[in-house]
Amino acid sequence: MVKKYFLRANTAEGDVNLIYENLKGISEIIVIKGRSRTAKNRLLTRIAFILSERGKLVEGIMCPFDIGVYEGIIIREDRLAIIDESCAKGLKGSEKNLDECFCSKPEITDLEEELIRQKAKWAFENLYKTYADAKTIHDEWEKIYIDNMDFSRIDSYTKGIISQLIKGKHNVLEGQRSTGFFGASTPDGSVNYIEGLTEDIKNRYYIKGRPGTGKSTFLKKLAFAAEKNGYDTEVYYCSFDRKSLDMVIIRDLSVAVFDSTAPHEVFPSRSGDGLLDFYTESGLFGTDEKYSKELKRIADRYSNKVKQGLAYLRLGCCFESELEMYYEGIIDYGAVSVLADKIIRAVS
Protein backbone atom coordinates (compact mmCIF):
# COMPACT_ATOMS: atom_id res chain seq x y z
CA MET A 1 0.00 0.00 0.00
CA VAL A 2 1.19 3.52 -0.83
CA LYS A 3 -0.17 6.27 1.41
CA LYS A 4 0.17 9.51 -0.57
CA TYR A 5 0.32 13.03 0.84
CA PHE A 6 2.35 16.22 0.59
CA LEU A 7 5.15 17.46 2.83
CA ARG A 8 5.51 20.72 0.91
CA ALA A 9 2.81 23.23 0.09
CA ASN A 10 2.50 26.56 -1.70
CA THR A 11 1.17 28.67 1.17
CA ALA A 12 0.64 32.32 2.07
CA GLU A 13 3.97 32.03 3.94
CA GLY A 14 5.79 30.67 0.90
CA ASP A 15 7.02 27.17 0.12
CA VAL A 16 6.49 25.50 3.51
CA ASN A 17 8.48 22.29 3.93
CA LEU A 18 7.68 19.67 6.60
CA ILE A 19 10.08 17.04 5.28
CA TYR A 20 12.79 17.57 7.89
CA GLU A 21 10.52 17.18 10.91
CA ASN A 22 9.01 14.02 9.45
CA LEU A 23 12.33 12.18 9.41
CA LYS A 24 12.46 11.70 13.18
CA GLY A 25 13.23 8.06 13.92
CA ILE A 26 14.55 7.47 10.39
CA SER A 27 18.03 5.95 10.56
CA GLU A 28 18.78 5.47 6.85
CA ILE A 29 18.39 8.30 4.38
CA ILE A 30 19.15 8.06 0.67
CA VAL A 31 19.33 11.40 -1.12
CA ILE A 32 18.47 11.36 -4.81
CA LYS A 33 20.45 13.98 -6.74
CA GLY A 34 20.23 15.07 -10.35
CA ARG A 35 18.64 17.66 -12.60
CA SER A 36 15.79 15.61 -14.06
CA ARG A 37 12.55 15.39 -12.09
CA THR A 38 11.34 12.77 -14.58
CA ALA A 39 14.28 10.45 -13.87
CA LYS A 40 13.92 10.84 -10.10
CA ASN A 41 10.18 10.18 -10.28
CA ARG A 42 10.76 7.05 -12.38
CA LEU A 43 13.23 5.75 -9.78
CA LEU A 44 10.99 6.53 -6.78
CA THR A 45 7.87 5.17 -8.49
CA ARG A 46 9.56 1.83 -9.19
CA ILE A 47 10.88 1.53 -5.62
CA ALA A 48 7.50 2.48 -4.10
CA PHE A 49 5.63 -0.02 -6.30
CA ILE A 50 7.97 -2.96 -5.63
CA LEU A 51 8.16 -2.38 -1.87
CA SER A 52 4.39 -1.95 -1.57
CA GLU A 53 3.90 -5.18 -3.56
CA ARG A 54 6.08 -6.88 -0.94
CA GLY A 55 3.67 -5.78 1.77
CA LYS A 56 5.46 -2.66 2.98
CA LEU A 57 3.47 0.41 3.99
CA VAL A 58 5.03 3.07 1.78
CA GLU A 59 4.47 6.77 2.42
CA GLY A 60 4.55 8.50 -0.96
CA ILE A 61 5.65 12.12 -0.64
CA MET A 62 4.08 13.92 -3.59
CA CYS A 63 5.25 17.02 -5.44
CA PRO A 64 3.02 20.15 -5.34
CA PHE A 65 4.62 21.47 -8.53
CA ASP A 66 3.98 18.41 -10.74
CA ILE A 67 0.87 16.24 -10.20
CA GLY A 68 1.48 12.55 -9.55
CA VAL A 69 5.24 12.99 -9.21
CA TYR A 70 7.09 11.65 -6.17
CA GLU A 71 9.46 13.80 -4.11
CA GLY A 72 10.32 10.93 -1.83
CA ILE A 73 9.19 7.78 -0.06
CA ILE A 74 9.31 6.78 3.60
CA ILE A 75 9.09 3.23 4.97
CA ARG A 76 8.83 3.75 8.71
CA GLU A 77 8.92 0.07 9.66
CA ASP A 78 12.41 -0.06 8.10
CA ARG A 79 13.36 3.43 9.35
CA LEU A 80 14.14 4.31 5.73
CA ALA A 81 13.63 7.46 3.64
CA ILE A 82 14.55 8.05 0.00
CA ILE A 83 14.26 11.76 -0.74
CA ASP A 84 14.74 14.02 -3.76
CA GLU A 85 17.42 16.56 -2.80
CA SER A 86 15.57 19.38 -4.60
CA CYS A 87 12.96 19.43 -1.81
CA ALA A 88 15.39 18.78 1.06
CA LYS A 89 18.46 20.96 0.63
CA GLY A 90 21.30 20.07 2.98
CA LEU A 91 19.82 16.70 3.94
CA LYS A 92 22.58 14.28 4.93
CA GLY A 93 22.61 10.68 3.76
CA SER A 94 24.04 8.35 1.15
CA GLU A 95 23.72 9.86 -2.32
CA LYS A 96 22.61 8.57 -5.73
CA ASN A 97 23.12 10.91 -8.69
CA LEU A 98 20.74 10.32 -11.59
CA ASP A 99 22.71 12.60 -13.89
CA GLU A 100 24.85 9.47 -14.31
CA CYS A 101 21.82 7.93 -16.11
CA PHE A 102 22.01 10.52 -18.91
CA CYS A 103 23.03 9.10 -22.31
CA SER A 104 24.61 12.40 -23.30
CA LYS A 105 24.90 15.99 -22.20
CA PRO A 106 21.75 18.17 -22.37
CA GLU A 107 21.75 20.63 -25.25
CA ILE A 108 21.60 23.70 -23.05
CA THR A 109 24.38 25.88 -21.68
CA ASP A 110 24.80 26.61 -17.98
CA LEU A 111 23.90 30.26 -18.65
CA GLU A 112 20.68 29.35 -20.50
CA GLU A 113 19.73 26.97 -17.71
CA GLU A 114 20.35 29.61 -15.05
CA LEU A 115 18.22 32.18 -16.92
CA ILE A 116 15.26 29.78 -17.05
CA ARG A 117 15.67 28.99 -13.34
CA GLN A 118 15.66 32.72 -12.54
CA LYS A 119 12.41 33.16 -14.48
CA ALA A 120 10.84 30.31 -12.52
CA LYS A 121 12.08 31.85 -9.26
CA TRP A 122 10.48 35.19 -10.18
CA ALA A 123 7.13 33.51 -10.90
CA PHE A 124 7.15 31.60 -7.60
CA GLU A 125 8.08 34.72 -5.62
CA ASN A 126 5.05 36.48 -7.13
CA LEU A 127 2.91 33.44 -6.35
CA TYR A 128 3.73 33.69 -2.66
CA LYS A 129 3.25 37.47 -2.56
CA THR A 130 -0.18 37.04 -4.14
CA TYR A 131 -1.16 34.27 -1.70
CA ALA A 132 -0.07 36.51 1.19
CA ASP A 133 -2.46 39.18 -0.12
CA ALA A 134 -5.19 36.54 -0.38
CA LYS A 135 -4.58 35.56 3.25
CA THR A 136 -5.14 39.19 4.34
CA ILE A 137 -8.47 39.19 2.51
CA HIS A 138 -9.36 35.83 4.08
CA ASP A 139 -8.75 37.37 7.52
CA GLU A 140 -11.46 39.95 6.72
CA TRP A 141 -13.77 37.09 5.80
CA GLU A 142 -13.10 35.30 9.08
CA LYS A 143 -13.63 38.45 11.15
CA ILE A 144 -17.28 38.77 10.14
CA TYR A 145 -18.06 35.31 11.50
CA ILE A 146 -15.82 35.65 14.56
CA ASP A 147 -17.60 38.87 15.54
CA ASN A 148 -20.96 37.09 15.41
CA MET A 149 -20.09 33.73 17.01
CA ASP A 150 -21.40 32.25 20.24
CA PHE A 151 -18.07 30.99 21.60
CA SER A 152 -19.50 29.29 24.68
CA ARG A 153 -21.89 27.29 22.51
CA ILE A 154 -19.26 26.08 20.05
CA ASP A 155 -16.86 25.33 22.91
CA SER A 156 -19.45 23.15 24.61
CA TYR A 157 -20.21 21.41 21.31
CA THR A 158 -16.58 20.58 20.54
CA LYS A 159 -15.86 19.38 24.08
CA GLY A 160 -18.72 16.93 23.71
CA ILE A 161 -17.36 15.60 20.42
CA ILE A 162 -13.85 15.14 21.83
CA SER A 163 -15.18 13.25 24.85
CA GLN A 164 -17.11 10.93 22.53
CA LEU A 165 -14.16 10.24 20.22
CA ILE A 166 -11.29 9.90 22.71
CA LYS A 167 -12.29 6.92 24.79
CA GLY A 168 -10.00 6.17 27.69
CA LYS A 169 -6.28 5.87 28.07
CA HIS A 170 -4.53 4.01 25.27
CA ASN A 171 -0.96 4.17 26.53
CA VAL A 172 0.96 5.38 29.55
CA LEU A 173 3.21 7.43 27.29
CA GLU A 174 1.95 10.33 25.19
CA GLY A 175 1.13 9.53 21.59
CA GLN A 176 3.44 10.47 18.74
CA ARG A 177 2.53 12.99 16.05
CA SER A 178 3.29 12.90 12.33
CA THR A 179 2.49 15.87 10.12
CA GLY A 180 1.82 16.70 6.50
CA PHE A 181 -0.61 18.26 4.05
CA PHE A 182 -3.44 16.14 2.65
CA GLY A 183 -3.79 18.60 -0.21
CA ALA A 184 -1.91 21.37 -1.96
CA SER A 185 -2.23 24.16 -4.47
CA THR A 186 -0.82 22.77 -7.72
CA PRO A 187 -0.69 23.79 -11.39
CA ASP A 188 -3.90 21.76 -11.79
CA GLY A 189 -5.60 23.66 -8.97
CA SER A 190 -6.32 22.27 -5.52
CA VAL A 191 -5.49 18.55 -5.27
CA ASN A 192 -6.04 16.34 -2.22
CA TYR A 193 -5.49 12.74 -1.10
CA ILE A 194 -8.29 12.59 1.49
CA GLU A 195 -9.84 9.41 0.08
CA GLY A 196 -6.58 7.51 -0.03
CA LEU A 197 -5.54 8.57 3.47
CA THR A 198 -8.90 7.61 4.98
CA GLU A 199 -9.85 4.56 2.89
CA ASP A 200 -9.32 2.16 5.81
CA ILE A 201 -10.88 4.47 8.43
CA LYS A 202 -14.30 3.33 9.67
CA ASN A 203 -15.51 6.63 11.13
CA ARG A 204 -14.96 9.80 9.13
CA TYR A 205 -16.36 13.15 10.28
CA TYR A 206 -16.80 15.97 7.77
CA ILE A 207 -16.69 19.45 9.32
CA LYS A 208 -18.92 22.01 7.62
CA GLY A 209 -18.72 25.66 8.57
CA ARG A 210 -17.48 29.10 7.58
CA PRO A 211 -14.09 30.82 7.84
CA GLY A 212 -13.25 31.54 11.47
CA THR A 213 -15.88 29.26 13.03
CA GLY A 214 -13.42 27.24 15.08
CA LYS A 215 -12.76 24.25 12.82
CA SER A 216 -8.98 24.42 13.14
CA THR A 217 -9.12 25.20 16.87
CA PHE A 218 -11.27 22.11 17.41
CA LEU A 219 -8.86 19.92 15.42
CA LYS A 220 -5.92 21.19 17.49
CA LYS A 221 -7.78 20.32 20.71
CA LEU A 222 -8.73 16.91 19.35
CA ALA A 223 -5.13 16.06 18.43
CA PHE A 224 -3.88 17.29 21.82
CA ALA A 225 -6.46 15.18 23.70
CA ALA A 226 -5.64 12.09 21.63
CA GLU A 227 -1.91 12.43 22.21
CA LYS A 228 -2.35 13.04 25.95
CA ASN A 229 -4.27 9.78 26.11
CA GLY A 230 -1.53 7.86 24.35
CA TYR A 231 -2.89 7.77 20.79
CA ASP A 232 -0.61 8.43 17.84
CA THR A 233 -2.02 11.08 15.52
CA GLU A 234 -1.59 12.16 11.94
CA VAL A 235 -2.02 15.92 11.77
CA TYR A 236 -2.54 17.55 8.39
CA TYR A 237 -2.10 21.31 8.11
CA CYS A 238 -3.97 23.71 5.88
CA SER A 239 -2.04 23.99 2.61
CA PHE A 240 -2.83 27.71 2.45
CA ASP A 241 -2.17 28.63 6.10
CA ARG A 242 0.31 26.47 8.04
CA LYS A 243 -1.05 27.79 11.35
CA SER A 244 -4.39 26.05 10.72
CA LEU A 245 -5.21 22.35 10.83
CA ASP A 246 -7.39 20.64 8.22
CA MET A 247 -7.45 17.01 9.35
CA VAL A 248 -6.63 14.71 12.26
CA ILE A 249 -6.46 10.93 11.88
CA ILE A 250 -6.33 8.61 14.91
CA ARG A 251 -5.80 5.19 13.32
CA ASP A 252 -6.00 3.19 16.57
CA LEU A 253 -9.56 4.52 16.95
CA SER A 254 -10.25 4.33 13.21
CA VAL A 255 -11.30 7.99 13.30
CA ALA A 256 -10.65 10.81 10.84
CA VAL A 257 -11.99 14.34 11.29
CA PHE A 258 -11.39 16.95 8.61
CA ASP A 259 -12.39 20.35 7.33
CA SER A 260 -14.66 19.57 4.40
CA THR A 261 -15.10 23.07 3.01
CA ALA A 262 -13.70 24.65 -0.17
CA PRO A 263 -11.22 24.16 -1.74
CA HIS A 264 -11.47 20.54 -0.55
CA GLU A 265 -15.24 20.28 -0.22
CA VAL A 266 -16.41 16.66 -0.06
CA PHE A 267 -19.48 14.99 1.39
CA PRO A 268 -20.25 11.76 3.28
CA SER A 269 -20.25 8.84 0.88
CA ARG A 270 -20.32 5.65 2.94
CA SER A 271 -21.52 4.07 6.17
CA GLY A 272 -19.68 5.49 9.17
CA ASP A 273 -19.39 8.99 7.68
CA GLY A 274 -20.90 11.86 9.64
CA LEU A 275 -21.32 15.65 9.49
CA LEU A 276 -20.25 18.20 12.11
CA ASP A 277 -22.17 21.45 11.56
CA PHE A 278 -20.02 24.27 12.90
CA TYR A 279 -22.10 27.00 11.28
CA THR A 280 -25.23 26.11 13.24
CA GLU A 281 -23.40 25.22 16.44
CA SER A 282 -21.57 28.57 16.38
CA GLY A 283 -24.92 30.35 16.70
CA LEU A 284 -24.47 32.12 13.37
CA PHE A 285 -28.12 31.96 12.29
CA GLY A 286 -28.79 34.67 9.70
CA THR A 287 -25.16 35.86 9.46
CA ASP A 288 -24.83 34.83 5.81
CA GLU A 289 -27.99 36.76 4.96
CA LYS A 290 -27.19 39.82 7.07
CA TYR A 291 -23.75 40.32 5.55
CA SER A 292 -24.46 38.83 2.12
CA LYS A 293 -23.21 41.80 0.05
CA GLU A 294 -20.05 42.29 2.09
CA LEU A 295 -19.33 38.56 2.13
CA LYS A 296 -19.74 38.36 -1.64
CA ARG A 297 -17.32 41.25 -2.19
CA ILE A 298 -14.74 39.61 0.07
CA ALA A 299 -15.23 36.19 -1.52
CA ASP A 300 -14.80 37.67 -5.02
CA ARG A 301 -11.62 39.55 -4.03
CA TYR A 302 -10.23 36.43 -2.41
CA SER A 303 -11.08 34.24 -5.40
CA ASN A 304 -9.44 36.69 -7.81
CA LYS A 305 -6.22 36.73 -5.76
CA VAL A 306 -6.11 32.94 -5.60
CA LYS A 307 -6.62 32.74 -9.38
CA GLN A 308 -3.83 35.28 -9.88
CA GLY A 309 -1.56 33.22 -7.64
CA LEU A 310 -2.43 30.06 -9.55
CA ALA A 311 -1.44 31.80 -12.79
CA TYR A 312 2.01 32.56 -11.34
CA LEU A 313 2.30 28.96 -10.12
CA ARG A 314 1.50 27.63 -13.58
CA LEU A 315 3.98 30.05 -15.16
CA GLY A 316 6.77 28.96 -12.83
CA CYS A 317 6.00 25.32 -13.55
CA CYS A 318 6.05 26.04 -17.29
CA PHE A 319 9.60 27.34 -16.97
CA GLU A 320 10.58 24.23 -15.02
CA SER A 321 8.94 22.04 -17.68
CA GLU A 322 10.94 23.86 -20.34
CA LEU A 323 14.11 22.79 -18.54
CA GLU A 324 12.85 19.24 -18.12
CA MET A 325 12.42 18.92 -21.89
CA TYR A 326 16.19 19.14 -22.29
CA TYR A 327 16.67 16.18 -19.94
CA GLU A 328 13.82 13.80 -20.84
CA GLY A 329 15.25 12.81 -24.20
CA ILE A 330 18.66 11.83 -22.85
CA ILE A 331 17.56 9.66 -19.90
CA ASP A 332 18.59 6.00 -20.00
CA TYR A 333 15.48 4.57 -18.36
CA GLY A 334 17.04 1.11 -18.24
CA ALA A 335 19.87 2.49 -16.13
CA VAL A 336 17.31 4.17 -13.84
CA SER A 337 15.55 0.82 -13.31
CA VAL A 338 18.84 -0.93 -12.62
CA LEU A 339 19.69 1.68 -9.99
CA ALA A 340 16.22 1.36 -8.42
CA ASP A 341 16.64 -2.41 -8.16
CA LYS A 342 20.10 -1.99 -6.66
CA ILE A 343 18.68 0.31 -3.98
CA ILE A 344 15.87 -2.17 -3.23
CA ARG A 345 18.36 -5.01 -2.79
CA ALA A 346 20.52 -2.87 -0.52
CA VAL A 347 17.67 -1.88 1.81
CA SER A 348 15.75 -5.18 1.83
Side-chain angles (χ1 to χ4, degrees):
M1 176 184 176
V2 180
K3 183 178 76 171
K4 296 180 180 180
Y5 59 96
F6 298 95
L7 282 177
R8 283 202 296 171
N10 297 303
T11 80
E13 299 175 35
D15 177 4
V16 171
N17 193 335
L18 305 177
I19 285 178
Y20 304 94
E21 64 191 70
N22 269 271
L23 296 180
K24 293 174 183 176
I26 300 298
S27 57
E28 183 175 5
I29 298 173
I30 300 173
V31 179
I32 306 301
K33 302 172 73 72
R35 286 175 284 180
S36 172
R37 183 179 288 169
T38 301
K40 288 183 279 191
N41 179 58
R42 180 67 67 93
L43 177 100
L44 291 166
T45 299
R46 182 174 179 85
I47 294 172
F49 174 78
I50 291 174
L51 292 181
S52 65
E53 285 292 295
R54 293 181 181 178
K56 301 286 187 182
L57 174 57
V58 179
E59 297 179 25
I61 312 307
M62 310 311 291
C63 176
F65 299 96
D66 200 346
I67 295 305
V69 168
Y70 284 92
E71 290 195 319
I73 59 175
I74 299 174
I75 300 94
R76 295 198 186 273
E77 63 186 283
D78 294 334
R79 301 163 66 88
L80 168 69
I82 306 172
I83 305 293
D84 179 347
E85 88 161 330
S86 66
C87 64
K89 299 294 185 184
L91 189 65
K92 302 298 182 183
S94 60
E95 298 179 354
K96 304 294 180 183
N97 192 339
L98 289 186
D99 283 355
E100 296 173 4
C101 295
F102 286 164
C103 302
S104 60
K105 290 184 178 180
E107 295 181 356
I108 182 173
T109 67
D110 291 345
L111 178 58
E112 289 171 330
E113 184 172 333
E114 180 58 26
L115 285 173
I116 295 174
R117 292 192 186 281
Q118 287 301 318
K119 290 178 183 178
K121 181 182 177 183
W122 171 86
F124 293 135
E125 285 174 349
N126 279 279
L127 156 69
Y128 301 131
K129 288 176 184 175
T130 305
Y131 275 7
D133 291 341
K135 174 62 169 61
T136 300
I137 297 169
H138 197 273
D139 291 343
E140 295 177 34
W141 201 348
E142 289 185 344
K143 188 175 185 303
I144 290 176
Y145 292 107
I146 291 171
D147 288 347
N148 288 274
M149 276 179 62
D150 184 337
F151 287 97
S152 62
R153 175 171 175 163
I154 192 66
D155 187 53
S156 176
Y157 176 64
T158 56
K159 282 181 179 178
I161 296 169
I162 292 171
S163 66
Q164 289 177 31
L165 296 180
I166 310 301
K167 299 168 183 175
K169 204 77 171 170
H170 181 62
N171 200 316
V172 175
L173 300 175
E174 285 193 14
Q176 300 297 306
R177 171 179 294 200
S178 61
T179 61
F181 301 97
F182 68 61
S185 178
T186 77
D188 289 353
S190 180
V191 171
N192 72 72
Y193 292 104
I194 293 173
E195 285 299 323
L197 289 167
T198 64
E199 65 180 350
D200 59 345
I201 299 295
K202 292 180 181 178
N203 301 296
R204 304 186 303 178
Y205 297 90
Y206 297 61
I207 304 175
K208 297 295 182 181
R210 303 291 188 274
T213 53
K215 302 184 296 292
S216 175
T217 300
F218 160 65
L219 288 169
K220 290 175 183 177
K221 290 179 178 178
L222 176 65
F224 179 79
E227 290 156 14
K228 281 295 181 184
N229 281 278
Y231 292 97
D232 292 342
T233 60
E234 295 172 26
V235 170
Y236 295 89
Y237 291 100
C238 172
S239 61
F240 183 71
D241 179 7
R242 162 70 194 277
K243 296 183 179 67
S244 294
L245 296 192
D246 269 354
M247 178 162 71
V248 173
I249 297 178
I250 311 164
R251 293 198 180 270
D252 285 329
L253 293 174
S254 202
V255 164
V257 187
F258 51 93
D259 182 345
S260 180
T261 56
H264 34 76
E265 186 173 20
V266 289
F267 295 90
S269 59
R270 67 188 196 207
S271 176
D273 289 351
L275 281 174
L276 301 177
D277 184 357
F278 275 49
Y279 179 74
T280 300
E281 297 299 334
S282 296
L284 290 167
F285 310 104
T287 302
D288 285 349
E289 294 76 13
K290 181 179 179 181
Y291 296 93
S292 59
K293 291 183 179 179
E294 188 174 352
L295 287 168
K296 185 179 185 309
R297 284 195 296 268
I298 292 173
D300 288 346
R301 287 166 55 216
Y302 174 76
S303 177
N304 288 336
K305 277 295 178 183
V306 170
K307 288 177 182 176
Q308 183 182 348
L310 179 59
Y312 281 122
L313 174 56
R314 286 172 173 162
L315 180 60
C317 291
C318 281
F319 289 130
E320 291 192 337
S321 295
E322 181 183 348
L323 268 182
E324 192 63 36
M325 289 174 60
Y326 287 98
Y327 309 137
E328 286 182 344
I330 60 171
I331 299 169
D332 181 343
Y333 290 104
V336 173
S337 296
V338 168
L339 179 57
D341 294 343
K342 186 182 294 186
I343 293 172
I344 291 168
R345 287 194 299 273
V347 302
S348 297

